[in-house]
Amino acid sequence: MNHDAFIVRPGAKISLQKDYNPAYKDDYQNKAEAEIKLQTDVERLAEYQNILYAQNTYALLVIFQAMDAAGKDSTIKHVMSGVNPQGCQVFSFKQPSAEELDHDYLWRSMKALPERGRVGIFNRSYYEETLVVRVHPELLKKQQLPYIPEDNRIWQQRFEEINNFEKYLVNNGIIILKFFLNVSKSEQKKRFLARIETPEKNWKFSASDVVERAFWDDYMQAYEDIFNHTSTESAPWYIIPADRKWFTRLVVADIICSKLKELNLRYPTVSEEHHRQLLKAKQLLENED
């Protein structure tokens, strides 16, 4: 799959409304067709993850950002369905605790970074500190900062800090994939109503979801600023159409598989001494009564 339609080129200035269609589905005609491709990639991903774990050189950090009801949870569930749980960890970042507010804003994310050989998934991330906090500036005042720059300079400062942080991670073998699931406002409304009208989905809905929906335009503007300033060569953003969940999952899986393939992963080779030990162990086992 060609990923040019999804990636935010470093240095580009994009418009979500003009440049990215939430209903885009490439040449796929239906869900059934896409599920065949997805299943293939789920199997590929499982194999890549096994080698990643065995090689123990790289880690993969997958970041999901989106508006409510865009499908983050279901995308994670379907795409990672074949991965060994021992090699994968998922963290969901919600409102920071009192302890987290007593640290810098990257602290809780640093603690959750994946170990070498593992896949780490951030369901929301440190980007909330340039998003929710920007849309609701009263939250910034709770962070007990010694100094808050004026004229929005704090967001430029945080963009620079995040870019440096991600560059540091990549330099140390933590590969970063950043996905924004781009759901339309009309599709979000449809999914909210489905959650309300379906008893089995009532637990997914919170009244605060509708409150945040009122800030839709503010969030879109904040997201565009994030993409325009933090899509870098080492950690670019991918804007994934999210009005069709089956296509969202297909694209995310394809991009993850493509990135792991680029790493040229290999199972470790053993030394001559280790090989001799294996042969000795084999002989002992074969000679057992």
Side-chain angles (χ1 to χ4, degrees):
M1 176 179 287
N2 190 328
H3 302 152
D4 289 346
F6 316 114
I7 196 167
V8 178
R9 297 296 174 188
K13 300 299 179 184
I14 63 97
S15 166
L16 282 173
Q17 184 176 4
K18 296 178 181 178
D19 300 331
Y20 297 92
N21 178 9
Y24 178 76
K25 60 183 179 68
D26 201 9
D27 293 327
Y28 287 87
Q29 300 301 315
N30 54 56
K31 180 178 179 179
E33 182 184 356
E35 285 184 341
I36 296 173
K37 160 70 170 162
L38 175 61
Q39 185 55 41
T40 299
D41 283 344
V42 167
E43 294 171 4
R44 290 173 61 208
L45 179 55
E47 179 61 22
Y48 283 135
Q49 189 269 329
N50 283 336
I51 306 174
L52 181 79
Y53 187 85
Q55 189 182 53
N56 201 39
T57 300
Y58 295 102
L60 178 65
L61 175 61
V62 184
I63 294 174
F64 287 95
Q65 290 286 158
M67 297 294 285
D68 292 320
K72 297 188 305 300
D73 291 342
S74 65
T75 298
I76 294 169
K77 175 183 176 180
H78 284 80
V79 172
M80 308 306 293
S81 61
V83 170
N84 187 334
Q86 292 186 97
C88 183
Q89 55 201 52
V90 182
F91 290 91
S92 182
F93 293 98
K94 301 184 184 296
Q95 182 176 343
S97 66
E99 179 188 18
E100 290 165 344
L101 287 172
D102 274 338
H103 291 80
D104 64 273
Y105 70 93
L106 288 172
W107 179 75
R108 64 177 181 167
S109 298
M110 292 179 188
K111 293 201 307 174
L113 290 171
E115 302 171 26
R116 297 191 191 281
R118 288 171 170 79
V119 177
I121 298 173
F122 284 3
N123 187 341
R124 302 193 191 279
S125 68
Y126 43 84
Y127 280 100
E128 297 292 292
E129 297 297 333
T130 60
L131 186 67
V132 177
V133 178
R134 187 169 187 174
V135 174
H136 299 287
E138 66 274 11
L139 297 176
L140 189 62
K141 297 177 182 178
K142 296 181 180 180
Q143 296 190 353
Q144 306 175 70
L145 299 174
Y147 171 68
I148 300 178
E150 298 178 353
D151 301 327
N152 288 327
R153 280 180 292 166
I154 188 167
W155 312 122
Q156 302 302 318
Q157 174 183 306
R158 288 191 171 182
F159 292 151
E160 181 179 353
E161 290 164 350
I162 288 172
N163 287 340
N164 290 336
F165 174 60
E166 291 179 344
K167 179 64 174 175
Y168 166 80
L169 296 182
V170 172
N171 287 347
N172 283 273
I174 300 179
I175 308 304
I176 303 172
L177 287 174
K178 302 185 297 193
F179 298 116
F180 172 67
L181 305 191
N182 185 28
V183 68
S184 66
K185 193 174 183 180
S186 59
E187 179 63 20
Q188 186 196 58
K189 177 181 178 179
K190 178 181 175 182
R191 293 178 187 179
F192 278 170
L193 289 172
R195 290 181 179 183
I196 295 171
E197 294 166 357
T198 308
E200 295 80 9
K201 294 183 178 181
N202 286 172
W203 65 273
K204 289 185 174 184
F205 186 78
S206 169
S208 63
D209 294 340
V210 175
V211 174
E212 287 303 290
R213 179 177 166 83
F215 295 94
W216 181 278
D217 291 342
D218 294 330
Y219 275 110
M220 292 300 103
Q221 183 176 349
Y223 266 123
E224 285 182 3
D225 213 21
I226 288 171
F227 303 145
N228 290 335
H229 288 89
T230 63
S231 194
T232 62
E233 292 290 346
S234 54
W237 275 101
Y238 293 87
I239 299 178
I240 311 298
D243 277 8
R244 294 180 174 88
K245 289 185 179 181
W246 54 265
F247 187 70
T248 304
R249 299 161 188 166
L250 181 152
V251 176
V252 168
D254 189 85
I255 292 173
I256 294 176
C257 286
S258 296
K259 176 55 66 174
L260 290 174
K261 182 179 180 180
E262 287 177 9
L263 297 179
N264 197 28
L265 300 171
R266 293 287 186 274
Y267 282 109
T269 56
V270 300
S271 65
E272 288 295 327
E273 175 60 26
H274 192 176
H275 186 65
R276 284 194 292 270
Q277 291 174 1
L278 291 175
L279 293 176
K280 184 177 180 180
K282 178 183 177 182
Q283 184 178 22
L284 290 172
L285 288 169
E286 292 175 342
N287 290 337
E288 284 183 356
D289 292 336

